[in-house]
Amino acid sequence: MRVLNLVTNEEAQFFRAQVEELERRGVELTTLSVPGRNRSESIDAEEDGERSILEYARFYPSVLANSLDSYDLIHANYGLTAPMAVAQPRLPVVLSLWGSDLMGKYGPVTKRFARFCDEVIVMSEGMAAEYDGDCLVIPHGVDLSVFRPIERAEAREALGWPRDERIVLFPYPPKRDVKNHPRAKRIVERASDRVDESVTLETATGVPHDRMPYYLNAADAMIMTSRREGSPNTVKEAMACNLPVVSTDVGDVRTRLDPVEPSTVSDDDHDLVAGLTEILERGERSTGREYAADIALERMGERIVAVYEKVLED
C-alpha cells in the first residue's frame, strides 16, 4: 500500500511516531509538507504556525503532481491540508484532525472540506461531537517502550534536579497562550502554600522527545491548564509513566484519567488546587499505566491501517 501524506508540521513528534508505526506495518509513505516555516514554538504543537494563504496556494501544484503517481490514497494530516487533498481528482482521501484545526479559528474551513473526504479521523469523542459528522475516533498513540516508569531518583539525577523538592511539570513552552501557563503558575503557588515542602514549577521547552520520559518520571505531578485540546499526548505519556496529572477538562482528558488514581480533572481552580495539594502530600505514583494499552502506538497503527483498507475497498 502506498500512501501520500500531507502535513503542516512533519516535525510534530506524534506525526513522526505515526509514520514510523505505519511503515513498520508495511505501508509505504511519502510526506509532503506545506511550504514555509512553521512558526509554532514547539515541534509537538497541534497548530499550523500561521502560514500565509500564498504558502498554501504554492502547496497545491505539488499535491496535484504527486497525486498522479502510483499512490493508493492521500492521508491529509491537519484540517488545512484538506482543501488541497480533495482538489486533486484521482485518489481517495483520509483526513486526520488534530484539535486546533477543528476547534480553533480555522474550524469552519476544516468542517467544510472534511465533508468531501472519504474518511475523517478525530482524536477524541469531544472532537467527534464538535465535528458533528461521520468520523472515527483514533487518538495518537504512545510508545510504551519509551514512556515507561523510571525510578524518580534516577530520573532526577539524569536531569540534575534536586531530590528534596516537590516538582510539578508544565510540559509546554510558557509562551503558548492556548496552554495558559499563568493559570498553571497560580494553581501551583496556591498548592505550595498548603504543603510543608518546597514546590517548584518546571517547564519543558525544546526538550528532545527521548528525554521527556525523564521529566515525567522526575516530577511529582503534571499540570495541564490548556484552554482547548484534542487528545493531548502529554497526558497519555504521563499515564504511561505513572505520573499523576491535574488538568482542565479539555479534549478526552476526563475519559483517559477517569479510572486513574490519583488524578484530578476540573475547570474549577479550587478543585485543581485541592487535587494538586493531595497529590503532593501523598507523594505516590499514579495507576495510569494500567490503562495505557488502548493508547499504544501499535493499537493506533492497527486502526489506521484498517481505515486505509476500508477506503480502498469502498
Side-chain angles (χ1 to χ4, degrees):
M1 186 186 305
R2 295 190 70 211
V3 175
L4 180 62
N5 267 326
L6 309 184
V7 70
T8 55
N9 182 7
E10 62 181 312
E11 295 303 314
Q13 184 59 44
F14 52 76
F15 174 74
R16 292 170 62 184
Q18 174 180 298
V19 168
E20 291 171 4
E21 175 60 24
L22 292 175
E23 288 180 336
R24 190 184 70 80
R25 291 177 175 274
V27 179
E28 184 179 337
L29 296 164
T30 299
T31 297
L32 298 181
S33 186
V34 180
R37 182 172 63 90
N38 188 296
R39 291 175 283 276
S40 174
E41 294 183 67
S42 166
I43 64 171
D44 288 324
E46 294 182 357
E47 58 251 20
D48 167 54
E50 302 297 332
R51 284 184 173 89
S52 70
I53 295 176
L54 178 60
E55 287 168 323
Y56 277 95
R58 288 168 50 206
F59 188 42
Y60 179 65
S62 177
V63 174
L64 179 60
N66 277 272
S67 72
L68 300 176
D69 204 342
S70 57
Y71 292 102
D72 297 297
L73 61 86
I74 289 179
H75 189 164
N77 297 271
Y78 197 83
L80 292 184
T81 65
M84 282 67 67
V86 300
Q88 56 77 38
R90 195 178 73 85
L91 299 176
V93 177
V94 174
L95 172 65
S96 283
L97 302 180
W98 288 1
S100 62
D101 48 356
L102 178 62
M103 299 179 289
K105 63 182 178 180
Y106 298 114
V109 175
T110 293
K111 291 177 182 179
R112 179 177 180 182
F113 286 94
R115 308 292 180 181
F116 297 100
C117 297
D118 296 88
E119 289 288 352
V120 176
I121 296 171
V122 297
M123 304 298 117
S124 68
E125 294 292 345
M127 287 181 65
E130 177 68 25
Y131 176 60
D132 193 27
D134 292 336
C135 60
L136 301 167
V137 178
I138 305 177
H140 289 302
V142 172
D143 189 339
L144 299 183
S145 68
V146 173
F147 288 89
R148 67 193 193 285
I150 301 171
E151 287 294 330
R152 187 181 304 171
E154 177 187 343
R156 289 199 175 188
E157 183 176 356
L159 299 177
W161 285 7
R163 293 193 177 193
D164 57 350
E165 289 185 6
R166 293 297 189 193
I167 296 177
V168 180
L169 179 66
F170 180 83
Y172 305 104
K175 291 183 179 180
R176 288 186 64 197
D177 180 68
V178 71
K179 303 302 183 182
N180 202 352
H181 179 262
R183 185 179 186 185
K185 185 178 179 181
R186 290 195 304 270
I187 290 167
V188 172
E189 288 174 348
R190 289 173 58 185
S192 179
D193 291 338
R194 301 185 181 190
V195 298
D196 295 333
E197 298 174 82
S198 174
V199 181
T200 301
L201 177 63
E202 291 281 354
T203 60
T205 303
V207 175
H209 200 61
D210 61 1
R211 295 286 288 173
M212 277 304 297
Y214 288 98
Y215 282 77
L216 294 169
N217 280 284
D220 295 280
M222 190 185 94
I223 185 166
M224 190 176 76
T225 47
S226 298
R227 305 178 197 279
R228 64 173 184 268
E229 293 282 352
S231 177
N233 259 32
T234 47
V235 169
K236 291 176 277 188
E237 291 164 354
M239 288 173 58
C241 295
N242 285 336
L243 177 65
V245 176
V246 172
S247 175
T248 47
D249 191 0
V250 289
D252 64 352
V253 175
R254 181 175 292 280
T255 300
R256 293 291 166 201
L257 293 181
D258 182 61
V260 178
E261 174 67 27
S263 63
T264 296
V265 180
S266 177
D267 284 327
D268 182 81
D269 278 13
H270 176 79
D271 293 341
L272 295 175
V273 171
L276 180 57
T277 300
E278 180 183 1
I279 288 170
L280 295 176
E281 288 178 337
R282 289 172 60 173
E284 300 173 358
R285 306 311 279 176
S286 81
T287 58
R289 195 169 178 89
E290 294 179 23
Y291 305 97
D294 192 52
I295 56 175
L297 272 178
E298 293 80 4
R299 177 64 174 143
M300 177 201 69
E302 174 188 344
R303 298 175 72 188
I304 291 177
V305 169
V307 173
Y308 291 169
E309 292 172 344
K310 178 178 182 297
V311 167
L312 295 177
E313 288 172 0
D314 289 348

